[in-house]
Amino acid sequence: MRIGVFCSGGDAPGMNPCVRAVVRAAGQAGHEVVGIRRGWQGLLDEDFFGKEHGQTVMNLRSVSGWGRYGGTFLHSSRSDEFRTVAGQQKAAENLRRNQIDALIPIGGDGTFHGAVDLANHWDGQIIGCPGTIDNDLLGTDFTIGFATAVRTAVEAVDKVHDTAASHERMFLIEVMGRHSGYIAVYTALAASAETACIPETPTDIGEIVAHLHTLKARGKTSVMMIVAEGDEGGDAAIINRKLIDAGCPYATRVLVLGHLQRGGSPAPFDRILASQLGIWAVDGIGQNLTGVMAGCVNGERTYTPFPETFAHHKPIPAMMLKLLDTLAM
Ligand code: F6P
């Protein structure tokens, strides 16, 4: 069997170890692996890893050393062309021409929407691996890259804590997550922030300002607030403006962490998760599965149909929110 593997959408630390695991597991199972560069767009362009050297089949050594690097050596993209039916038909033709029998896309919900679309034009097997820092996919407790993104954000907040304390200021630190508050909540908890604004819960400016007055009266001189970029109350700059207008008792500064959170060497948790999921994707192909994402729920292997992975908003466990409330004093 010939398996195509690629990374698509926003890159996530752990994509490289995932590709490494796919190549190694597939090689041991007697399959050939073709690395497709630049995601769906690379498939449209027949941009295969090693093509420039006339060797498009990846071997066990092709991925030597990939386990510890962030980003993706296969590169990634967001393809407008693939969103069209003509693009999807062309992708299917390219797969047939290159005798690719199965695909392992590593990415987030956009990538899996693409997999569903492709299945209308191609009858090969498709098994995805959840690669996104957002941790917004159902069917897995954690996505590849989330743990590293949180680690990066926590390191940044720790540093900002120092200057916040020195100047007796409040910082609003905006983290990524598109429509999800996962990165914000985990960062707030791990970095001992006082509060988090997330899309999963209403952001009540009056209530926050009242709480800030309580903290000030209690003698707290500096405050860290983590804002999810997708908060319904606005981004960190907007929330800052609203807080000032509502009588925020602290001098404030805003920091947007942005793409910093997508980079860096993958945390051990992500390296192991990525390796496990990559192997499970290859196993799933051996079991004739298709149209599913390999995931890990409570330590167990799961295969979830693509539409279910993005069917609704992945809830943040109430226990985590309660923990934040209890600690944020
Ligand atoms: O999905 C990953 C993510 O980093 C989101 O958290 C963020 O909203 C988005 O990608 C940013 O996308 P881009 O890199 O295309 O600006």
Side-chain angles (χ1 to χ4, degrees), residues 168-172 212 222-223 225 243 248 250-253:
E168 303 189 359
R169 283 173 176 160
M170 169 168 154
F171 271 83
L172 292 91
L212 291 172
S222 62
V223 171
M225 173 186 276
L243 290 175
C248 176
Y250 291 92
T252 63
R253 293 289 187 276

Side-chain angles (χ1 to χ4, degrees), residues 251-292:
T252 63
R253 293 289 187 276
V254 174
L255 175 67
V256 179
L257 293 185
H259 289 78
L260 185 81
Q261 295 157 92
R262 292 235 295 259
S265 173
F269 180 88
D270 276 327
R271 298 182 194 195
I272 295 169
L273 177 70
S275 304
Q276 189 67 87
L277 296 180
I279 291 169
W280 287 348
V282 173
D283 284 354
I285 285 171
Q287 293 165 30
N288 249 333
L289 298 177
T290 188
V292 293

Side-chain angles (χ1 to χ4, degrees), residues 178-190:
R178 206 180 289 264
H179 308 299
S180 168
Y182 259 95
I183 296 178
V185 168
Y186 275 66
T187 300
L189 278 170

Side-chain angles (χ1 to χ4, degrees), residues 79-137:
S79 171
D80 288 334
E81 187 183 352
F82 183 76
R83 286 196 191 98
T84 65
V85 171
Q88 292 150 21
Q89 286 168 340
K90 183 175 169 193
E93 275 165 34
N94 288 352
L95 286 165
R96 284 189 282 269
R97 190 177 28 258
N98 290 282
Q99 281 131 32
I100 294 174
D101 311 292
L103 270 185
I104 300 184
I106 306 167
D109 63 337
T111 305
F112 297 161
H113 270 104
V116 172
D117 293 337
L118 178 68
N120 295 324
H121 310 280
W122 183 64
D123 58 11
Q125 288 172 258
I126 315 178
I127 302 201
C129 287
T132 166
I133 64 166
D134 297 348
N135 199 31
D136 59 349
L137 290 167

